[in-house]
C-alpha cells in the first residue's frame, strides 16, 4: 500500500513526501479510507505508530474538498488531554496542510487567553484544544462549535483517566448532532 493508493489530493501527497514518509503505517492504511468516507471510527495503536496523521490527513482532505474560501467557521475539532499533545497535533496539521489554504490553531490552559482568542477571531478551519480552556472560551462566547463537521477525541482513554469526562460531555453538547 502506498499513499497514492489512498487517493489523497496531490497537495497532501506532496506534504507527506516532504516528511519523508514512504508508505502509510498500518493504523494509517486502516483509518484513512473510512475517515475519507465520512464514517465514524475508533482507532487503537501504540504511541509512535502514526495515529496523528491517521486522522489529520483525511480530515484535511475532507475540509479541502468542501472548502468555502471566504469566511472560516471552525469545521474540525480535535480534543486532547495535554498541552504537549495539543501542540504536537497542531504542528502535524500545519505540516500536512502546508500546500493547502487551510488554517489551524491550538488552545490550552495555563497561559493567557488573549493570543488564542485573537487567532480564532482571524478564522481557522481546524481547532486543536484541551477540554478546560475550550469550554472556558465557549462560555465567554469566543468560540462557536455549531459548524463542526469532524470531531476527534485524541487519547480518549487518557482523557477519562485524567478526569475530563464532565468537560468532554460539555463539549459534545455544543456540537451539531450530525458530525
Ligand atoms: P504519532 O504516532 O502520530 O505521534 O507519530 C509518530 C512519528 O511517526 C512522528 O514523528 C511522525 O512524523 C512519524 N510518522 C507518521 N506517519 C509516518 C509514516 N507513514 N511513515 C514514517 N513516519 C511516520
Amino acid at each position: 500500500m502506498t499513499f497514492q493508493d489512498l487517493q489523497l489530493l496531490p497537495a497532501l501527497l506532496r506534504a507527506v513526501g516532504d516528511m519523508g514518509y514512504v508508505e502509510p503505517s498500518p493504523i494509517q492504511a486502516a483509518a484513512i479510507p473510512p475517515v475519507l468516507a465520512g464514517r465514524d471510527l475508533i482507532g487503537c495503536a501504540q504511541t509512535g505508530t502514526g495515529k496523528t496523521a491517521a486522522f489529520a490527513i483525511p480530515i484535511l482532505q475532507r475540509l479541502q474538498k468542501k472548502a468555502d474560501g471566504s469566511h472560516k467557521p471552525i469545521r474540525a475539532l480535535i480534543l486532547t488531554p495535554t498541552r504537549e499533545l495539543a501542540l504536537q497535533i497542531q504542528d502535524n496539521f500545519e505540516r500536512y496542510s502546508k500546500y493547502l489554504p487551510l488554517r489551524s490553531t491550538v488552545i490550552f490552559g495555563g497561559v493567557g487567553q488573549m493570543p488564542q482568542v485573537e487567532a480564532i477571531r482571524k478564522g481557522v478551519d481546524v481547532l486543536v484544544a484541551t477540554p478546560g480552556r475550550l469550554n472556558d472560551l465557549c462560555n465567554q462566547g469566543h468560540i462557536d462549535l455549531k459548524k463542526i463537521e469532524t470531531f476527534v477525541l485524541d487519547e480518549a482513554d487518557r482523557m477519562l483517566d485524567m478526569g475530563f469526562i464532565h468537560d468532554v460531555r460539555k463539549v459534545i453538547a455544543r456540537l451539531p448532532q450530525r458530525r
Side-chain angles (χ1 to χ4, degrees):
M1 160 94 61
T2 64
F3 281 104
Q4 273 90 349
D5 295 334
L6 294 170
Q7 310 205 318
L8 299 179
L9 295 169
L12 284 166
L13 288 175
R14 205 168 142 207
V16 163
D18 289 355
M19 299 284 289
Y21 302 171
V22 177
E23 57 181 23
S25 68
I27 185 83
Q28 291 164 0
I32 290 174
V35 177
L36 282 178
R39 292 175 49 198
D40 288 339
L41 181 95
I42 298 177
C44 303
Q46 285 176 318
T47 304
T49 51
K51 269 182 289 182
T52 314
F55 62 79
I57 290 171
I59 285 175
L60 287 167
Q61 175 139 333
R62 283 180 64 86
L63 292 174
Q64 179 61 19
K65 289 237 155 151
K66 248 180 62 192
D68 156 336
S70 50
H71 86 249
K72 281 188 182 284
I74 303 169
R75 294 169 60 203
L77 172 64
I78 322 304
L79 211 53
T80 190
T82 69
R83 163 197 178 131
E84 289 69 30
L85 283 167
L87 284 164
Q88 269 174 39
I89 293 168
Q90 200 245 345
D91 179 67
N92 272 247
F93 270 95
E94 296 241 301
R95 288 168 192 263
Y96 301 131
S97 67
K98 75 188 223 202
Y99 302 114
L100 293 170
L102 297 171
R103 290 222 299 262
S104 62
T105 196
V106 58
I107 63 172
F108 45 79
V111 297
Q113 70 174 48
M114 276 288 283
Q116 299 179 355
V117 170
E118 205 38 53
I120 289 162
R121 212 194 314 272
K122 286 185 187 146
V124 293
D125 304 276
V126 179
L127 179 64
V128 183
T130 54
R133 176 57 59 98
L134 177 62
N135 278 315
D136 252 12
L137 296 187
C138 286
N139 287 335
Q140 294 175 47
H142 294 304
I143 295 179
D144 180 4
L145 300 179
K146 287 277 179 297
K147 299 280 190 242
I148 294 293
E149 297 164 21
T150 305
F151 175 51
V152 178
L153 281 164
D154 179 57
E155 308 237 355
D157 49 351
R158 202 158 140 207
M159 219 132 41
L160 298 185
D161 288 344
M162 289 172 67
F164 280 133
I165 182 70
H166 296 296
D167 278 320
V168 171
R169 281 194 206 281
K170 278 188 211 155
V171 170
I172 290 173
R174 300 178 194 278
L175 303 177
Q177 285 288 330
R178 248 191 98 70
R179 68 209 172 225

